[in-house]
Amino acid sequence: MASHNGNARFLAGGHSLIPMMKLRLADPGHLIDINPIEAELNYIREEGGEIRIGAMTRHRNMLESDVLAKHFPIFFEAEHVLADPVVRNRGTMGGSLCQADPAEDLSGVVTALKGEAVLRGPGGAERVVGMEEFHIGPYMTAVQPDELLIEVRFKVKPGGGSAHEKVERRAGDFAIVAASAALWIEGGVIKDCGLACSAVGPTTMHIGRAEAAVIGKAPSEELFAQAGAMASQDCSPSADGRGPVDYKRHVAGVLSKRALSRAAASALR
Amino acid sequence: MLVSMSINGQTHSHDVEPRMLLVHYIREMAELHGTHWGCDTSNCGICVVLMDGDPIKSCTTLAAMAEGHEITTVEGLEKNGVLDPIQQGFHEMHALQCGFCTPGMMVTGRALIDQHPNPTQMTDYEIREAISGGLCRCTGYVNIVKAIRWAAAYEAAAATGGN
Ligand SMILES: Cc1cc2nc3c(=O)[nH]c(=O)nc-3n(C[C@H](O)[C@H](O)[C@H](O)COP(=O)(O)OP(=O)(O)OC[C@H]3O[C@@H](n4cnc5c(N)ncnc54)[C@H](O)[C@@H]3O)c2cc1C
Ligand code: FES
Ligand code: FES
């Protein structure tokens, strides 16, 4: 990577990069295929109070994972509506995050679960980046050209529940709007919350105001309706073939509320 | 660059441009024209082949990414002049009209049956979900679902000594 002076790209599943190259939106001089190191980077591990997902873990592996289904049901829900099964055989966790498409489902999921990305640079130096820092703009991330995303880590905390809601034009399409929610509830009180919306802004929209508004309170439909209203106000969609701004704001609010309610139900189960 | 892979059990080795897509390698270098090339945008599923048994879109895979892998195309289904049950099923159930989507549908159906723990118990939903990466503009899918189910039943009957 270093010898190509920023003119090279890593190639994972290729299901975003190859279409981008066909459209001449990406024009790398060199591709470095990381599929040959899949054995090293395709894993879902539970260790030391954390879940770690390797960058080359395919969508299908996340859909079918018992470990994820147990701790973070949001993965099954998002993967089930992400693209189609043939695409899911190839696309990866690392490619999804590094593509940083604002409509990407997994970026919302990882943001809601407060995941951290582990990046490895030249010489093997590693740094850990939270999602706030990771997404710096549309299709732009904190990953430097000579850095490889290795894995994504999630803390397993007590009382966790999570859910993903998505509205799309047809099965397997990118979202018109999607909402990803995670809640950690102990003793009837929300201890922590993560809420993110996809396809309604220049990057995955982290709805921090709604998170702060529900932490410390008891879960209730009114509370989640207030949080949904905040998501609706704080996102910044633009009008396109998938709908006008007002409609997308409305859907972001409804889906955020629904995702939070279902996350609460799964936390209290 | 020299790219080698096994297609339907036969080793192929060709010097190709690094940017060559797998679908073109299969059609132009290996001269197997059963795999079709449609939308070229990863949406239609016409180009689906199996890589190590899993369905993938060959228009969204570089030939170089298949280096060293095992590819199965629709031509690889028939064995010794006998149609694979999935092919027979498409025939029995009238699951094709123009035939454009058929190669992708057949290999996808083959992989579904091969990977399902209990193929005769597959639900319609499971079959529809599995083929949801492919578009058929002719049949309305009903007969494709029936064909895949026919193949699963035929194989189960054959395995228990029936016809
Ligand atoms: C038909 C279709 C429908 C889709 N529908 C959806 C959908 O509904 N929802 C959704 O969320 N997504 C959808 N996708 C996108 C899909 O999830 C992609 O697979 C994913 O976004 C990219 O993963 P990839 O492994 O293919 O990445 P690639 O295309 O290989 O790479 C994407 C980018 O990430 C970089 N990269 C990849 N891995 C690393 C790494 N480990 N370290 C550093 N950089 C890296 C690459 O250099 C490239 O810039 C769809 C794709 C298709 C083709
Ligand atoms: S040609 Fe590959 S999906 Fe349409
Ligand atoms: S038979 Fe014509 S597209 Fe399927």
Side-chain angles (χ1 to χ4, degrees), chain A residues 11-12 26 30 32 43-44 59 79 107 120 133 137 146 154 163 193 204 209 224 230-231 237 240-242 247:
Chain A
L11 178 65
H30 302 269
I32 298 177
Y43 55 82
I44 298 167
H59 292 304
E79 289 292 1
S107 297
R120 189 178 291 166
E133 276 176 79
D146 56 359
F154 305 91
C193 168
T204 302
R209 192 160 65 102
F224 296 145
M230 290 175 187
D240 58 16
R242 287 180 167 83
Y247 166 71

Side-chain angles (χ1 to χ4, degrees), chain B residues 46 95-102 105 135-140 144:
Chain B
I46 255 81
L96 62 145
Q97 287 180 31
C98 78
F100 193 52
C101 71
T102 311
M105 290 291 180
L135 296 176
C136 176
R137 298 290 81 167
C138 301
T139 69
I144 297 178

Side-chain angles (χ1 to χ4, degrees), chain A residues 11-252:
Chain A
L11 178 65
H15 274 55
S16 291
L17 186 50
I18 294 174
M20 297 257 294
M21 288 169 66
K22 289 181 182 181
L23 294 168
R24 306 297 187 263
L25 292 171
D27 181 20
H30 302 269
L31 289 177
I32 298 177
D33 183 4
I34 55 175
N35 287 278
I37 56 166
E38 177 175 0
E40 210 177 310
L41 290 183
N42 182 341
Y43 55 82
I44 298 167
R45 286 188 200 131
E46 184 177 3
E47 58 187 36
E50 280 185 339
I51 304 282
R52 299 178 169 200
I53 304 180
M56 282 302 289
T57 307
R58 311 274 177 191
H59 292 304
R60 180 181 183 174
N61 305 126
M62 292 182 263
L63 179 68
E64 294 177 353
S65 163
D66 293 337
V67 172
L68 291 183
K70 175 171 157 224
H71 291 290
F72 304 130
I74 190 171
F75 271 101
F76 175 86
E77 294 186 8
E79 289 292 1
H80 191 65
V81 292
L82 191 156
D84 60 62
V86 185
V87 171
R88 295 199 293 258
N89 278 337
R90 296 298 290 162
T92 64
M93 169 58 109
S96 296
L97 292 194
C98 294
Q99 179 65 17
D101 185 322
E104 175 60 53
D105 287 284
L106 282 193
S107 297
V109 169
V110 175
T111 303
L113 291 174
K114 301 179 188 257
E116 292 178 320
V118 181
L119 308 178
R120 189 178 291 166
E126 286 190 1
R127 63 189 183 109
V128 179
V129 179
M131 282 300 114
E132 289 296 80
E133 276 176 79
F134 188 91
H135 290 123
I136 58 179
Y139 306 97
M140 287 188 286
T141 68
V143 185
Q144 297 302 304
D146 56 359
E147 279 182 318
L148 184 67
L149 173 68
I150 297 296
E151 68 176 13
V152 188
R153 293 179 186 163
F154 305 91
K155 293 219 160 42
V156 178
K157 296 180 288 186
S162 55
H164 187 75
E165 287 280 343
K166 177 176 179 177
V167 171
E168 69 269 72
R169 291 178 299 187
R170 57 184 158 76
D173 195 13
F174 278 99
I176 297 171
V177 181
S180 315
L183 288 169
W184 289 268
I185 303 173
E186 279 184 283
V189 176
I190 297 171
K191 296 288 183 189
D192 201 356
C193 168
L195 181 65
C197 292
S198 302
V200 283
T203 62
T204 302
M205 291 275 101
H206 177 205
I207 315 292
R209 192 160 65 102
E211 293 176 359
V214 304
I215 292 172
K217 309 223 173 76
S220 73
E221 288 303 298
E222 299 87 82
L223 185 66
F224 296 145
Q226 285 164 20
M230 290 175 187
S232 172
Q233 287 156 13
D234 293 359
C235 65
S236 55
S238 42
D240 58 16
R242 287 180 167 83
V245 169
D246 289 356
Y247 166 71
K248 290 186 184 181
R249 278 194 193 282
H250 174 74
V251 177

Side-chain angles (χ1 to χ4, degrees), chain A residues 11-16 18-19 22 24 31 33 35 60 63 80 84-90 170-171, chain B residues 19 21 40-43 48 51 54-57 59-62 64-65 108 115 125 129-130 132-133:
Chain A
L11 178 65
H15 274 55
S16 291
I18 294 174
K22 289 181 182 181
R24 306 297 187 263
L31 289 177
D33 183 4
N35 287 278
R60 180 181 183 174
L63 179 68
H80 191 65
D84 60 62
V86 185
V87 171
R88 295 199 293 258
N89 278 337
R90 296 298 290 162
R170 57 184 158 76
Chain B
R19 65 173 183 166
L21 297 169
D40 201 27
T41 61
S42 336
N43 283 291
V48 170
M51 183 153 96
D54 291 329
I56 64 161
K57 293 182 177 176
C59 75
T60 314
T61 306
L62 297 174
M65 296 170 85
T108 305
Q115 297 182 3
Y125 179 80
E129 163 82 6
S132 64

